[in-house]
Amino acid sequence: MFVSPTHAAQDCKVLQGAVVIDKSTKRLITRIHSGEIAFIDHQDLDQVAAKGLIDKRVRAVLNSSQTLSGSFPTPGPEYLLKAGIPILDEVNRQWMDVWQDGQKVWIEGEHFGYVDNSGNRVSVGKGRRLTCKRLSFLMQKAHNNLETALEQFIDNTLTYAAKEKSFVTKPLAIPPLRTKMKGRHVVVVVRGADYEADLHAIRSYIRDYEPVLIGVDGGADALLDNNLRPDLIIGDMDSVSDRALHSGAELVVHAYPNGEAPGLKRLKTLGLKAHLIPTIGTSEDVAMLMAFENKAKLIVALGTHSHMVDFLEKGRKGMASTLLVRMKIGTRLVDAKGVNYLYQ
C-alpha cells in the first residue's frame, strides 16, 4: 500500500470550493469543473469514475456512501488518494437535497459545512475521512472476502442465466437500421477500465479495416475524443454527451423490457429521432447481440465488463446476460480489453 506524502497535510488543511451534486457519478463528471468539490452517492467507487474525477481535477469528494466498503476490491478510491484528492465518506445524505450546485462548502479533517453570505464557515456535521491507513485496512478486508463474494456472484449469475436464457435463444427484436453490418467488422466501445489505452492500441486496425463503430453510451464520446465518428450509439442515453448525440450517428435507445425508456425523453428534447429496443441485459450485451444478429463478420469488444469486480462496481450482483451473449457469439467475438498491455 502506498503512503502519500501530502495526505497528512491535507487532513489538517481547510479545503473550500463550489460543490456539484449528483447521485449519478458519471453524470456529475460531465458537469463538474476543475477546483470544484464533488458530492456523490457512490458505494465502492469504480476505476472509470475515479479516473473521470481525476481528469476533471476536482478538489475533493464528499460521499454520502462508502467510497470503499470492504465488500470487494475496487481500485477507484486508491486512484483518488494517489492523485491527492481527499475523500470524506458517510456525509449526511440530506445535504444533497439542501445544497444547490455552486454552494460554497468546506472540509477540514472530518468536519464539513458551508460558507454563508457573510463569508463565515458554518459547520453542519462530520463524515469519515478515507485515509491511507483506512484504505489499506478496507482493501485487506475486501481481499479476505473475495471467495465469499465470488461464490455469491456465481450463484446469482447461474440463477438469472436460467431465467434469462430466452434473451439469447430467441432472436433479438432489432428495428431496421441504416447502419449495415453484414460481412463487416464491428467495434463495440464501452467506457470501461483502460478503454482509452485499448482504443489507442487498435487505431491501426480501425484505419485498415474501417469497421462499423458502435459507442455504448459514453463510449461514443471516447470515439470522438480519438477523432473517430461513431456509426451507431446505443444505451439508455444517460452518460453520453449532446455533442455525441448530434454527431450524426444512428441512435438506438435500450429500453426496459416493459418499454419504459427514460433516455427517449432526452432525445426528444434535443429534437433527435431514435430506434427503441426493449429487452433485458446491459446495453453492451445488446450492442454485441445486435451486431451478431446482423451477421457481422467479426465483433471486437473494447472496454466491456467481463469479470466479477467489473459488475460489482456497476452495482450488478451477477453477469447472467453477458455470459449468455458471449456463449452465443462464440468465436465471432474478439475481446480487446487489456490489449494495450501487449504493446508496452
Side-chain angles (χ1 to χ4, degrees), residues 2 13 35 53 64 81 105 107 109 145 159 241 255 259 287 315 322 326 329:
F2 72 96
K13 183 181 177 182
L53 292 168
S64 61
L81 293 191
V105 303
I107 305 167
N145 188 52
T159 298
S241 70
T322 298
R326 288 172 180 260
I329 294 175

Side-chain angles (χ1 to χ4, degrees), residues 39 44 68-69 256 286 311 323:
F39 192 176
D44 293 309
L68 182 63
S69 68
Y256 293 111
V286 177
F311 283 90
L323 176 66

Side-chain angles (χ1 to χ4, degrees), residues 86-310:
I87 304 167
L88 189 62
D89 283 342
E90 300 174 33
V91 173
N92 195 319
R93 194 173 275 103
Q94 72 172 14
W95 296 105
M96 298 193 88
D97 299 321
V98 174
W99 288 338
Q100 301 292 321
D101 284 358
Q103 169 73 55
K104 290 287 192 300
V105 303
W106 59 268
I107 305 167
E108 184 177 11
E110 294 198 323
H111 296 271
F112 71 97
Y114 65 94
V115 180
D116 66 19
N117 293 333
S118 301
N120 299 313
R121 290 196 290 122
V122 180
S123 178
V124 298
K126 187 178 179 181
R128 187 165 194 177
R129 195 69 171 256
L130 184 61
T131 61
C132 297
K133 183 178 180 180
R134 180 161 176 75
L135 175 69
S136 181
F137 167 77
L138 290 172
M139 283 299 282
Q140 185 59 55
K141 179 182 176 183
H143 283 291
N144 293 342
N145 188 52
L146 205 52
E147 288 186 10
T148 301
L150 180 58
E151 184 176 349
Q152 293 172 347
F153 186 82
I154 291 171
D155 288 343
N156 186 283
T157 297
L158 295 178
T159 298
Y160 278 89
K163 295 177 180 178
E164 298 174 357
K165 59 186 177 183
S166 61
F167 174 54
V168 296
T169 56
K170 296 179 180 179
L172 185 67
I174 303 172
L177 303 173
R178 73 165 187 263
T179 304
K180 303 305 177 186
M181 304 181 206
K182 185 176 181 179
R184 297 184 64 188
H185 289 207
V186 173
V187 176
V188 177
V189 179
V190 181
R191 224 172 207 167
D194 295 325
Y195 70 94
E196 307 105 318
D198 289 338
L199 185 56
H200 182 76
I202 67 167
R203 280 188 66 88
S204 58
Y205 157 75
I206 293 174
R207 182 186 63 241
D208 294 342
Y209 281 84
E210 298 183 346
V212 174
L213 300 176
I214 299 180
V216 178
D217 274 321
D221 289 288
L223 287 165
L224 289 173
D225 290 342
N226 284 270
N227 297 315
L228 298 167
R229 190 180 75 84
D231 296 293
L232 190 146
I233 300 172
I234 182 169
D236 53 16
M237 306 300 171
D238 68 340
S239 61
V240 59
S241 70
D242 288 355
R243 173 190 64 149
L245 293 175
H246 284 291
S247 68
E250 192 167 14
L251 306 178
V252 178
V253 177
H254 178 200
Y256 293 111
N258 64 4
E260 184 182 348
L264 201 56
K265 183 179 179 181
R266 178 186 177 193
L267 298 187
K268 287 180 178 178
T269 301
L270 294 172
L272 298 170
K273 293 182 179 180
H275 303 288
L276 202 66
I277 296 184
T279 186
I280 61 171
T282 67
S283 295
E284 59 196 73
D285 295 335
V286 177
M288 290 191 287
L289 202 53
M290 187 167 57
F292 179 84
E293 301 275 1
N294 276 294
K295 297 182 170 37
K297 183 177 181 180
L298 189 74
I299 303 164
V300 179
L302 190 146
T304 53
H305 299 82
S306 59
H307 57 81
M308 182 185 75
V309 173
D310 268 354

